Every structure is written in structure tokens, then in C-alpha cells.
């Protein structure tokens, strides 16, 4: 089975779950070709991400000549398909987002279709239902292979109507939701008409890569927060909580791993509350360094306002470390009081009390939370099981099509995609 994975930007430090998913499929004998619309503008720090970047074909970045040539060739050799793709781009643009952006998606889809035909790709899978899913839909409309996508949230649901999510659901062979909450959001935009093609398949980890530290959580006074520094993650609210806890709790510190647009705001809050000696900003680190930091910490904290289902929560629980997080999106499907603390987003008092509970918890309580968390990940988030599910879904979609797409293409799946 030969498929393609298509994403907007790759590899991205905060999206290692996509790389892991592709590797798990390859371990089960699936050939995966990697495509991305553009390169990430920041420096990669993990060796596996760097290696994956070398395997990724970029459709937009540095490829204006290729886009122009592919479009000219398609217009000459397949004018009817070219016209169908252009009309699909127009229909997506009418939903919102502007004609210029969707004209770019159309050119990217024409180039992608040429690559897929050359390599005999039988199916495209997309992560996130935004830009890349539009490109896959347009390619499909021109006679390309079937496609599917995994929806995560939260941002893609904020602009779902103007991004044409109903059209993308209509044209997809299936859609993956990473949580029950996410499935509900897809149903909200697709309605009952597409409910049978929406599948819940939770993000996974290979637990063999996440070996708990022999050092008990109770031996550490370090809390760690991992993620892109941005408003939706809520890290700017942590310095105030740390300042209040300083007065009543035994010495502790907070390590923030990640970078992003909120760094100046976080640094300002650290200075305003006078907690520069308690909070360390480390920037992006490799996956190995992140695992080691979490494994040696007391707990992980993630005070998010908007999420899908953060992979770092899975990683912390797999390492038998409790988590402090918020009641956002799919998080309550993973976290409860048995493996950490979960509080309303933006509730400073509740966040402070949750952190106090963790800082005051004895070693036995922390160990029990850790064991419960790892058991949850093992039960619901096994990476091999996720790959098996996806492989079966891909095989069904390909069988429905009768194999890989040929040079002449084949009709789009279902009249609703026309």
C-alpha cells in the first residue's frame, strides 16, 4: 500500500505526533510519501525531525517554476479536469478566505496531483482540516486519489465555515477525530449526512520510548510546562501563580520548554512578579531532552485556554508523572483526579490550588497518580493500535477506488464532491 501524507507546514517541533504516526504505519508495511505545502521558518532541534525534513517534498516553498509548469501542462493535457479543479477552488473561496488564497491552493493541487500520479499514490491523508485539506479536495475533484483528514482543533473549528469544512467532509473517504469532543465538532459542521465517515482514533504513543524514571516524582521539586509559547496555552498566567505559591510552599521551580509569540509577555510577567529565580525558559529542546526533563520532574502543568488534545499530556502520563491542566476540548477524556488535577481555564485560584495539591502531595500519592496515568495511555493511546486502525481505513478507501490513480485520473468519490 502506497499513500501520501500532506500537511501545511512540516516538520514542526510541536507536531512530532505526525512523524511518529507515519513511522508506525511504515513499521506495518505501508509506504508513506511525505508532502508539505511549506517549510517551517524556525530551526529544528530534534535529529528525527531534521531527518524527516530531508524526506519531505515541498509544494510551495521555492517551487514557483514547478507550480507554473504543472498548471500549464494540466491545462493543455487535461482541460476538463483543470476546469473542475478551478471551479472547486471558486466554491471554496465563496465560503470565505479570499480568491487569492484559493487560487494558490488550486495551483498547489495541480502540482500535487502530478506528483501523486507519477508515484502511483493510492490515497492522501491530511493532518488538520485547513489549508492542506483544501488542496487534497481540489486534487480529488480533478480526478486524484481518495483523501482523508485528521481533525484536531481548536483553531480549525474557529474558521470551519469559511474554510469550507462541510465541502471537505463531503469529499473525504473518511475523517478522523482525535477525541469524542472533536467528533462532535465535525458533526456540527457535517451533520448527520456524514456521520458514518467520521471515526474517533486517538493520538498514540509507543510506550517503549517512554520509560518512567526510577526517581520517584516526590523526590523532585520541579514543575515543567512544555509547548509553544502562545496565548492559547496560557503560560503567561503561570508567573502570578508561582509568586503566590512562593509564600506558602517549600522551595520549587518551574521550567518552561518551548518558544513562540508569547515569550515577551511571559518574560514581562516573570519580571513583574519577581519570580525570575523560580522560572526558567529553555526554548525548544529535542524530544529526548523533553522526555528527560519530564521524567525528572514532579509534575507537568499546562494551563491551556484552547486545545485539541495535547500530546505532551500523554507523554507526561506515560512517564508516570501527574499533570495539572484545564477542562478544555478533549482533555477531560484523558485527565481526571486519579492522574492529576484539572481546573477551569483562566481560574487563577483553582490553578494555584491544583499546583499546591501537587507540591504538597506525598510520594505514595504521586506514584499512584503516575501509575493511573500510564495505564490510561496504554489503554486508549497505543501508537501501534492507531496505525492498525488507520491502515485498515486506508485499505478500505483504496479498495473502494480500485487501486492507485492513473494518468487519466478517475471520477471524484460520490456526487456530493462534485
Amino acid at each position: 500500500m502506497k499513500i501520501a501524507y500532506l500537511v501545511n507546514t512540516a516538520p514542526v517541533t510541536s507536531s512530532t505526533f505526525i512523524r511518529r504516526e507515519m513511522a508506525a504505519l511504515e513499521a506495518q508495511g505501508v509506504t508513506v510519501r511525505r508532502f508539505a505545502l511549506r517549510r517551517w521558518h524556525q530551526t529544528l532541534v530534534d535529529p528525527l525531525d531534521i531527518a524527516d525534513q530531508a524526506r519531505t517534498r515541498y509544494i510551495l516553498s521555492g517551487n514557483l517554476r514547478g507550480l507554473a509548469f504543472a498548471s500549464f501542462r494540466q491545462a493543455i493535457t487535461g482541460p476538463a479536469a483543470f476546469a473542475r479543479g478551478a471551479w472547486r477552488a471558486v466554491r471554496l473561496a465563496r465560503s470565505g478566505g479570499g480568491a487569492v488564497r484559493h487560487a494558490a491552493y488550486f495551483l498547489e493541487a495541480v502540482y500535487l496531483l502530478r506528483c501523486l500520479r507519477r508515484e502511483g499514490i493510492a490515497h492522501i491523508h491530511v493532518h488538520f482540516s485547513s489549508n492542506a485539506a483544501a488542496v487534497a479536495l481540489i486534487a480529488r475533484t480533478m480526478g486524484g486519489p481518495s483523501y482523508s483528514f485528521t481533525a484536531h482543533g481548536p483553531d480549525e473549528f474557529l474558521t470551519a465555515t469559511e474554510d469550507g469544512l462541510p465541502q471537505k467532509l463531503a469529499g473525504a473517504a473518511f475523517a478522523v477525530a482525535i477525541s469524542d469532543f472533536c467528533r462532535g465538532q465535525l458533526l456540527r459542521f457535517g451533520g448527520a449526512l456524514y456521520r458514518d465517515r467520521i471515526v474517533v482514533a486517538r493520538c498514540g504513543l509507543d510506550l517503549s520510548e517512554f520509560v518512567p524514571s526510577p526517581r520517584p516524582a516526590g523526590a523532585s521539586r520541579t514543575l515543567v510546562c512544555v509547548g509553544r509559547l502562545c496565548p492559547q496555552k496560557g503560560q503567561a498566567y503561570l508567573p502570578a501563580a508561582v509568586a503566590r505559591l512562593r509564600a506558602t510552599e517549600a522551595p520549587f521551580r518551574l521550567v518552561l520548554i518551548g518558544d513562540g509569540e508569547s515569550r515577551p509577555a511571559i518574560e514581562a510577567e516573570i519580571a513583574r512578579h519577581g519570580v525570575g529565580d523560580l522560572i526558567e525558559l529553555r526554548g525548544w529542546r529535542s524530544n529526548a531532552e523533553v522526555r528527560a526533563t519530564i521524567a525528572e520532574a514532579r509534575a507537568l502543568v499546562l494551563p491551556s485556554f484552547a486545545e485539541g488534545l495535547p500530546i505532551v499530556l500523554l507523554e507526561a502520563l506515560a512517564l508516570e508523572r501527574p499533570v495539572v491542566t484545564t477542562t478544555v476540548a478533549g482533555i477531560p477524556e484523558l485527565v481526571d483526579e486519579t492522574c492529576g488535577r484539572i481546573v477551569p481555564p483562566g481560574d487563577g485560584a483553582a490553578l494555584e490550588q491544583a499546583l499546591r495539591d501537587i507540591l504538597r502531595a506525598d510520594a505514595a500519592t504521586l506514584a499512584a497518580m503516575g501509575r493511573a496515568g500510564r495505564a490510561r495511555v496504554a489503554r486508549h493511546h497505543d501508537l501501534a493500535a492507531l496505525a492498525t486502525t488507520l491502515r485498515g481505513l486506508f485499505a478500505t478507501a483504496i479498495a473502494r477506488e480500485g487501486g492507485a490513480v492513473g494518468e487519466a485520473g478517475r471520477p471524484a468519490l460520490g456526487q456530493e464532491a462534485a
Side-chain angles (χ1 to χ4, degrees):
M1 184 192 309
K2 183 185 288 187
I3 67 168
Y5 261 54
L6 175 66
V7 294
N8 182 35
T9 307
V12 177
T13 299
S14 59
S15 297
T16 55
F17 59 91
I18 300 176
R19 169 170 54 73
R20 292 170 180 161
E21 183 176 295
M22 292 187 292
L25 285 164
E26 289 171 329
Q28 296 190 11
V30 179
T31 299
V32 180
R33 295 287 185 259
R34 293 151 169 78
F35 292 88
L37 302 185
R38 51 179 60 82
R39 291 178 180 270
W40 198 40
H41 67 279
Q42 297 186 31
T43 302
L44 295 170
V45 297
D46 190 275
L48 293 177
D49 285 336
I50 295 170
D52 222 48
Q53 185 179 64
R55 302 177 62 189
T56 301
R57 184 176 304 180
Y58 294 94
I59 296 173
L60 181 60
S61 298
N63 191 36
L64 293 180
R65 182 178 297 179
L67 292 173
F69 176 77
S71 297
F72 175 77
R73 187 179 186 278
Q74 181 65 50
I76 296 300
T77 61
F82 188 86
R84 288 199 305 271
W87 178 238
R88 171 62 68 185
V90 168
R91 289 188 61 195
L92 286 167
R94 286 177 175 175
S95 297
V100 173
R101 191 175 77 176
H102 286 87
Y105 296 164
F106 170 61
L107 295 178
E108 292 161 359
V110 172
Y111 179 83
L112 174 65
L113 181 58
R114 179 173 171 79
C115 296
L116 298 174
R117 286 172 172 168
R118 185 184 302 124
E119 297 200 27
I121 298 297
H123 184 83
I124 315 169
H125 188 66
V126 180
H127 268 275
F128 300 100
S129 61
S130 50
N131 305 12
V135 173
L137 171 58
I138 295 169
R140 173 63 169 161
T141 304
M142 291 189 290
S146 58
Y147 75 91
S148 53
F149 63 85
T150 296
H152 298 260
D155 294 344
E156 59 196 301
F157 297 134
L158 299 178
T159 58
T161 300
E162 52 264 47
D163 282 345
L165 180 55
Q167 292 186 58
K168 295 167 184 174
L169 277 168
F174 62 91
V176 174
I178 64 165
S179 65
D180 293 327
F181 173 86
C182 183
R183 182 176 187 272
Q185 293 299 300
L186 290 176
L187 288 171
R188 171 187 167 196
F189 294 102
L193 182 60
Y194 311 123
R195 64 180 180 273
D196 292 339
R197 68 181 68 175
I198 299 172
V199 180
V200 176
R202 304 176 193 275
C203 296
L205 290 183
D206 180 352
L207 283 180
S208 68
E209 296 181 4
F210 294 84
V211 180
S213 170
R215 184 187 186 199
S220 174
R221 299 295 295 175
T222 297
L223 304 174
V224 61
C225 178
V226 180
R228 183 165 60 92
L229 304 184
C230 60
Q232 72 186 40
K233 298 287 186 182
Q235 298 103 328
Y237 291 82
L238 287 171
V242 168
R244 290 190 295 267
L245 290 167
R246 176 180 217 161
T248 61
E249 305 308 311
F252 69 97
R253 67 183 185 126
L254 172 66
V255 173
L256 272 68
I257 296 178
D259 214 332
E261 64 268 31
S262 288
R263 186 176 186 119
I266 295 168
E267 291 174 335
E269 285 295 293
I270 290 172
R272 185 163 77 92
H273 292 284
V275 290
D277 58 325
L278 298 183
I279 300 180
E280 177 186 355
L281 279 73
R282 292 188 181 176
W284 290 117
R285 289 292 184 265
S286 69
N287 288 337
E289 291 175 288
V290 170
R291 283 197 298 270
T293 303
I294 296 174
E296 294 302 308
R298 188 179 189 88
L300 180 129
V301 54
L302 193 65
S304 299
F305 293 99
E307 287 286 1
L309 183 61
I311 299 298
V312 72
L313 293 180
L314 300 179
E315 294 177 349
L317 295 177
L319 290 167
E320 295 190 359
R321 291 306 183 251
V323 299
V324 175
T325 188
T326 52
T327 54
V328 170
I331 293 178
E333 298 173 36
L334 172 67
V335 180
D336 64 12
E337 295 292 309
T338 67
C339 58
R341 294 292 181 266
I342 185 165
V343 302
D347 189 332
L351 175 62
E352 180 184 340
Q353 185 56 52
L355 293 173
R356 181 175 287 110
D357 288 348
I358 294 297
L359 289 170
R360 293 183 178 182
D362 58 33
T365 299
L366 294 173
M369 287 183 177
R371 289 191 298 271
R374 185 174 173 89
R376 281 181 169 236
V377 174
R379 186 163 58 249
H380 299 297
H381 297 275
D382 178 71
L383 183 58
L386 171 64
T388 298
T389 297
L390 290 174
R391 181 165 53 84
L393 291 168
F394 297 152
T396 298
I398 292 168
R400 190 180 298 131
E401 294 292 289
V405 65
E407 181 64 29
R410 58 183 82 250
L413 175 64
Q415 291 303 310
E416 72 275 13

